[in-house]
Amino acid sequence: MTTTLLRTAAELSARARTGHRAVVMTMGALHEGHATLIRSAREIAGPDGEVVVTVFVNPLQFGAGEDLDRYPRTLEADLKIAEEAGADVVFAPSVDEVYPGGEPQVRISAGPMGERLEGAARPGHFDGMLTVVAKLLHLTRPDVALYGQKDAQQLALIRRMVRDLNFGIEIVGVPTVREDDGLALSSRNRYLSPAERRTALALSRALFAGQDRHAAQEALRARAREVPATHARAEALSALGESRAAADAHAVAKAAPGGPAAVRAAARLVLDEAARLTPPLALDYLALVDPSDFTEIDDDFTGEAVLAVAARVGATRLIDNIPLTFGTLGAAS
């Protein structure tokens, strides 16, 4: 398969469409995470459909002091990765093509959800992101668009925009792709020195610690429900290696499923230790949120949740998250 490079909206509009069109939006500097998205799009589009990959570094979503100027631009390498992953088209417009009159006067507002977590750390970021996503959805006219779950708040906002504004497009989230050491794939990983990378591994370790704590508590609750006598319940809990919980089986039995507070505490312990490393990890936030609006969940919460973290290591800011399910025996979705 040969991938066609298009630079203008007119070229894209003139292209004859066949079957379903699936779109993957990127800012370039493609890596295996993007390739996974493109392969997923290829599978959804099928042999008779079309996969379009957009490559556009959107200036609207970079704030003052952020890395717009040094953000990597590697179009030749991106084309090769896109082609190998199954893309039919790479649409790589210029800034003037996307914003022909300069910065747009009318923009999409991310609303209250866009002011939390990433939005609080990067004011205006999500307004700029949604504005360019809306424009690119109009320009590419897909049946389905795919986005990575690593950017969980972005994905949630795109889903909300498409639903609230009746775009009529299916949005698909694709699980985070990780490197062998657990670090979530990101174009910004290339900025990390070897020492900074070792510190950065605390992000994924913290998430996995929270996930493990959640799984252990779900197992404890399941065992507590099975054993009616307090003494026997304590012994069962102790057999699971949770001696502190075993000391108070009644409290465990009455606790909220999975214990959001305990999940946060387990993750924060890892992050606190990383703050003492050289170089240190500087935490922006650790949050356990409802993905429908990105507000913190209470201890009696049931359903899908997202454990999210953002931090700086040196000059590089990284984000990561994992999904968890509260109120069932499963540890993660």
Side-chain angles (χ1 to χ4, degrees):
M1 174 186 294
T2 300
T3 299
T4 301
L5 174 63
L6 302 179
R7 293 284 199 171
T8 69
E11 290 173 330
L12 185 60
S13 179
R15 182 178 174 85
R17 293 187 60 154
T18 58
H20 271 53
R21 176 178 283 180
V23 165
V24 174
M25 295 184 186
T26 81
M27 292 206 301
L30 301 190
H31 49 63
E32 180 57 27
H34 297 109
T36 298
L37 284 166
I38 297 167
R39 287 192 291 267
S40 298
R42 180 78 271 162
E43 184 176 346
I44 289 172
D48 299 324
E50 183 178 52
V51 174
V52 176
V53 176
T54 68
V55 174
F56 180 65
V57 181
N58 176 35
L60 296 191
Q61 64 194 75
F62 286 81
E66 294 189 338
D67 56 355
L68 173 61
D69 291 337
R70 72 180 186 124
Y71 196 87
R73 275 97 167 156
T74 57
L75 184 58
E76 186 174 343
D78 294 344
L79 281 169
K80 182 177 180 181
I81 290 173
E83 185 168 273
E84 290 175 350
D88 298 290
V89 174
V90 168
F91 178 49
S94 66
V95 174
D96 289 340
E97 181 70 20
V98 176
Y99 304 120
E103 289 195 4
Q105 296 298 303
V106 177
R107 307 187 187 195
I108 300 290
S109 170
M113 190 182 357
E115 298 172 357
R116 299 172 185 135
L117 299 187
E118 284 299 291
R122 307 175 66 189
H125 166 72
F126 285 126
D127 291 354
M129 180 276 294
L130 289 179
T131 297
V132 79
V133 167
K135 287 182 70 77
L136 290 173
L137 288 175
H138 290 316
L139 289 171
T140 58
R141 296 176 292 121
D143 300 288
V144 57
L146 296 88
Y147 301 89
Q149 291 178 358
K150 185 180 82 70
D151 298 296
Q153 193 170 2
Q154 170 180 284
L155 174 59
L157 281 162
I158 291 170
R159 281 178 165 149
R160 174 73 67 164
M161 177 183 73
V162 166
R163 181 172 70 249
D164 288 355
L165 301 184
N166 301 99
F167 273 63
I169 296 166
E170 181 184 0
I171 303 299
V172 173
V174 177
T176 300
V177 178
R178 299 185 180 278
E179 301 195 41
D180 290 343
D181 57 10
L183 190 67
L185 281 173
S186 169
S187 301
R188 291 185 169 94
N189 290 354
R190 68 186 67 195
Y191 300 152
L192 298 169
S193 70
E196 289 171 341
R197 184 186 176 92
R198 287 192 292 273
T199 296
L201 293 177
L203 273 75
S204 57
R205 286 204 307 269
L207 297 177
F208 296 146
Q211 184 182 56
D212 289 347
R213 181 61 179 168
H214 175 257
Q217 288 196 311
E218 288 289 334
L220 287 169
R221 280 189 56 80
R223 183 63 63 90
R225 284 192 295 268
E226 292 171 1
V227 184
T230 300
H231 178 70
R233 181 182 295 123
E235 290 181 342
L237 295 172
S238 182
L240 287 173
E242 292 285 340
S243 58
R244 285 178 297 177
D248 190 354
H250 181 66
V252 172
K254 292 178 66 65
V263 171
R264 292 185 184 95
R268 183 168 289 278
L269 182 62
V270 176
L271 298 169
D272 288 345
E273 291 173 351
R276 296 188 288 272
L277 297 176
T278 304
L281 181 141
L283 182 66
D284 275 1
Y285 62 76
L286 172 70
L288 186 54
V289 299
D290 182 340
S292 69
D293 59 8
F294 268 69
T295 58
E296 289 281 351
I297 65 172
D298 298 324
D299 277 345
D300 60 354
F301 178 87
T302 60
E304 301 296 317
V306 172
L307 180 61
V309 63
R312 292 184 183 275
V313 182
T316 304
R317 186 174 185 277
L318 300 170
I319 64 173
D320 200 353
N321 71 86
I322 55 171
L324 297 172
T325 303
F326 288 84
T328 72
L329 298 183
S333 61

